[in-house]
Amino acid sequence: ADMAVYDRLAPDFIDAGQAQLAGAALVVADLNLPHDTVAALAVQARRHATPLVLVAVSEPKMARLPADLSGVRLLILNAGELAARVGRPLADDAAIAHAMREVRAQGARDLVVTRGARGVLVTAGERIADLPALPSDVVDVTGAGDAFAAAVCWSLVQDDGSFDLGRACRRGLHLSALTLGVPETVHPGLGPDSLAAVSTEHPLPQD
């Protein structure tokens, strides 16, 4: 992985792609991008009302997240990355939920916080919903987080603008469980059929 490629994606690269960004159903970026480039994406997302999903990479790279998160439709991160954002340890789910609300006040519209075997916390209006992880015979944990984020983004694109986070997160948890059960970092049977049939009948539970 030549990470230096990311450094070449400067804000002027983002500005040059305004037409593509404006017409996108969803823009997804991770925090391997430089700070100023992430900020430029958020500016473009605000300008064109384009849904922007940011996926955290690591606790140190949380420093690349701008102070102003206006324009970020969804932020996907784990509890450690959230703690890095707010600058304090998060001892339990109540502390995580409080930190999620704090980050929403910084401009991000929604957050999903992954907690490994304990599932995810996701904003549901003004509340925080708790979705448990699915049972899985763990073979290798590598790729499970990426699988979750990928399924969430895929699901949101299928929603035709409804932005159903409950459905998206259930699909993410499903694909994450599938990925945990194989030695490959990407499940060899991955395809739309493996996600489309995931049950999404129930709305997000709320605390």
Side-chain angles (χ1 to χ4, degrees), residues 62-159:
M62 289 300 292
R64 300 184 177 192
L65 197 62
D68 181 3
L69 298 180
S70 302
V72 177
R73 183 62 180 79
L74 175 64
L75 177 61
I76 302 175
L77 69 174
N78 64 32
E81 291 156 350
L82 179 62
R85 175 64 178 189
V86 298
R88 63 179 182 274
L90 302 174
D92 53 28
D93 286 347
I96 293 173
H98 182 76
M100 291 172 72
R101 294 185 176 99
E102 187 176 325
V103 174
R104 286 188 79 188
Q106 297 166 3
R109 183 165 172 182
D110 282 301
L111 282 82
V112 173
V113 178
T114 61
R115 302 167 299 161
R118 295 190 296 123
V120 301
L121 294 178
V122 53
T123 50
E126 296 304 313
R127 294 179 171 269
I128 307 295
D130 187 341
L131 297 180
L134 302 179
S136 177
D137 294 326
V138 179
V139 174
D140 191 332
V141 299
T142 307
D146 289 337
F148 174 83
V152 167
C153 293
W154 177 88
S155 184
L156 293 175
V157 169
Q158 309 307 307
D159 281 346

Side-chain angles (χ1 to χ4, degrees), residues 47-71:
R47 181 175 298 160
H48 301 295
T50 304
L52 172 63
V53 178
L54 294 180
V55 183
V57 172
S58 67
E59 293 177 28
K61 289 186 176 179
M62 289 300 292
R64 300 184 177 192
L65 197 62
D68 181 3
L69 298 180
S70 302

Side-chain angles (χ1 to χ4, degrees), residues 171-190:
R171 285 171 167 164
L173 290 166
H174 177 74
L175 183 55
S176 182
L178 289 178
T179 305
L180 288 169
V182 297
E184 296 87 354
T185 57
V186 177
H187 193 286
L190 176 61

